[in-house]
Amino acid sequence: MRVVICGAGQVGYGIAERLASERNDVSVIDTSRSLVQAIRDNLDARGFVGHGAHPDVLAEAGAEQADMIIAVTLHDEVNMVACQVAHSLFNVPTKIARIRSQSYLRSHWQDLFSTDNMPIDVIISPEVEVGEMVLRRIALPGAMDAVRFADDTIAMVAIECRDDCPVVDTPLDQLTELFPDLKATVVGIWRGERLFIPTSSDQMVAGDVAYVVAERSHVRRTLGLFGHEEPEAGRIVIVGGGNIGLYVAQQMERRNLGAKVRVIEADHERAMTIADTLKRTIVLHGSGLDQAILNEADIRQSDLLVALTNDDKVNILASVMAKRLGCSGNLTLLNNPDYQSFTRTLGIDAFINPRSVTISRVLQHVRRGRIRAVHSIQNGVAEVIEAEALETSPLVGKPLRELDLPENLRIGAIYRNGEFVRPSGQTKIKAKDRVVIFATASAVRHVEQLFRVSLEFF
């Protein structure tokens, strides 16, 4: 696949890194010479210095032969114009744009991004994507990661196995025998610095992170079996009233989630604006690193601090301070992947990487075959993929035990006619089933082939 990426920032670089590692033909455009040089030095991709919306720059980057353009610069208008130029002058088939301003995304302007107006096939709103991830994590205390598939009926959760975890040192097949009615499957284990797909004889040990695919209604029970019975947060402090922080607070009000929420915002004008916007949320003007402000937010009696500023260092320190002052838990936004390896030693319970969230959304549309959703794991070490089985798929019609599937992928669940199906050796996948698969990076191509449209389909 030939892909042109406009924007070499964290998201653009991450997408280019992933696609280049999979041997796609990748070109990256950015106005920053240093960012473009980093692309040239570190990735198997071409870098071009220039404006991503200018026709001559797009032409030099190979837009005439491109299968896709992904516009993820910091400026919505540049992204939109880049897609328009790619469509009008170069007839690029698939156009993806990152749009941050919610003004463009309001429902009564929904015709703006259409073939007759501004032909953008996929809109990615990082603030909404990350905000929804934050809300899911708040709703599932004890989960280190959580994402939903198949019309919200299936969830994948990452669960830390602590020293007191009841299911450690027990082979997975024994767990199946002990809990035969539990609609959940352990599909991956992160141990130390390595991720692997477990077999039925493998067992989890303290310190592991288990990736579990489960029916949504069985997620809380699954967390309980792992020793995570933390109650939902009743008092929440949000540090950072930017686009993500405001979105989370607004949605908590709109969905009547019941938690008492306080927002701390450092910018006075912004604090006044969000205070006028929110109806039932207390907004405090000050720094999340100011102990007096944290005490004013009643941090000692709070269940959760959610740090959502655009500064990783502020998010980390605010989370650590909140814990020291008596807050029960924290959830931290971290853009820099270098910080993620030592979060546990600092006392950070869970973090969200916005770059990973955005890249996952892009990969959903990059992947070949009937791919409905993608979620990236551990900075691209693995992916959870939801795909639709076709009549010509080699998966269809045979018991799973008879399929010659590689060891580095595992089927976690099947969604059939609105129902969850837990896979076993005798399960047969049918056409139109939606299959949730956990696959390491090396197995992603194989998953694409399993769900790719064959000529026989026609």
Side-chain angles (χ1 to χ4, degrees), residues 14 30 33 45 117 127 149 165 186 231 287 291 340 356 367 373 418:
D30 201 283
R33 291 187 178 276
N117 296 309
E127 285 76 13
F149 299 95
C165 177
V186 178
S287 169
Q291 185 170 329
Q340 295 168 16
S356 178
R367 295 283 171 246

Side-chain angles (χ1 to χ4, degrees), residues 99-402:
I99 307 295
R100 305 181 70 177
S101 173
Q102 297 304 297
S103 176
Y104 290 119
L105 304 177
R106 291 175 183 167
S107 57
H108 51 282
W109 307 130
Q110 61 185 355
D111 290 338
L112 173 61
F113 302 109
S114 63
T115 304
D116 294 333
N117 296 309
M118 191 163 286
I120 300 176
D121 302 295
V122 180
I123 298 292
I124 296 174
S125 175
E127 285 76 13
V128 172
E129 300 285 345
V130 175
E132 287 296 326
M133 178 65 76
V134 171
L135 289 165
R136 287 195 293 270
R137 301 284 280 276
I138 291 174
L140 288 174
M144 298 183 66
D145 195 2
V147 64
R148 296 174 187 168
F149 299 95
D151 300 334
D152 283 352
T153 62
I154 297 172
M156 188 288 300
V157 290
I159 311 172
E160 182 182 9
C161 299
R162 300 179 300 204
D163 291 335
D164 59 350
C165 177
V167 296
V168 297
D169 302 324
T170 305
L172 295 181
D173 54 358
Q174 287 188 25
L175 291 178
T176 302
E177 294 173 5
L178 290 170
F179 308 102
D181 61 332
L182 181 66
K183 296 181 178 179
T185 302
V186 178
V187 292
I189 295 176
W190 178 264
R191 180 172 296 164
E193 296 299 318
R194 182 176 72 93
L195 184 139
F196 65 95
I197 308 295
T199 65
S200 59
S201 59
D202 283 320
Q203 48 192 291
M204 293 166 288
V205 300
D208 283 352
V209 175
Y211 291 90
V212 185
V213 174
E215 185 178 44
R216 184 179 171 185
S217 62
H218 284 228
V219 170
R220 288 196 179 279
R221 183 185 171 197
T222 302
L223 287 166
L225 290 174
F226 277 77
H228 290 276
E229 296 181 311
E230 295 92 332
E232 285 193 43
R235 295 172 179 265
I236 299 173
V237 176
I238 297 175
V239 175
N243 290 334
I244 297 173
L246 176 58
Y247 179 85
V248 171
Q250 282 181 314
Q251 293 302 314
M252 294 194 74
E253 287 189 348
R254 289 173 183 170
R255 300 176 192 184
N256 295 315
L257 297 182
K260 294 181 179 180
V261 180
R262 288 177 169 82
V263 177
I264 298 174
E265 169 54 41
D267 182 85
H268 182 266
E269 185 176 342
R270 178 65 178 178
M272 295 294 290
T273 299
I274 62 177
D276 291 338
T277 303
L278 298 169
K279 308 301 181 187
R280 302 188 303 277
T281 303
I282 296 174
V283 179
L284 302 174
H285 170 234
S287 169
L289 301 182
D290 187 333
Q291 185 170 329
I293 290 292
L294 289 172
N295 286 331
E296 188 178 347
D298 202 16
I299 197 67
R300 285 183 170 83
Q301 306 302 320
S302 297
D303 302 305
L304 181 67
L305 179 128
V306 185
L308 299 175
T309 77
N310 58 5
D311 188 325
D312 285 357
K313 298 180 182 67
V314 171
N315 292 339
I316 291 171
L317 289 173
S319 298
V320 173
M321 285 182 65
K323 270 289 197 67
R324 297 282 173 86
L325 292 172
C327 185
S328 301
N330 54 44
L331 174 61
T332 308
L333 196 70
L334 291 179
N335 287 280
N336 189 337
D338 293 338
Y339 295 152
Q340 295 168 16
S341 60
F342 55 79
T343 52
R344 290 190 198 180
T345 59
L346 292 176
I348 293 174
D349 300 316
F351 65 85
I352 291 175
N353 180 354
R355 183 179 78 160
S356 178
V357 174
T358 305
I359 291 173
S360 293
R361 183 81 165 83
V362 170
L363 289 176
Q364 176 181 339
H365 302 280
V366 171
R367 295 283 171 246
R368 298 178 175 90
R370 292 293 182 90
I371 306 299
R372 285 178 167 266
V374 173
H375 181 67
S376 182
I377 298 292
Q378 296 285 353
N379 293 317
V381 173
E383 292 178 14
V384 189
I385 301 172
E386 178 194 341
E388 182 180 343
L390 301 169
E391 293 178 5
T392 56
S393 170
L395 290 175
V396 171
K398 296 180 181 178
L400 293 182
R401 64 163 56 95
E402 295 181 11

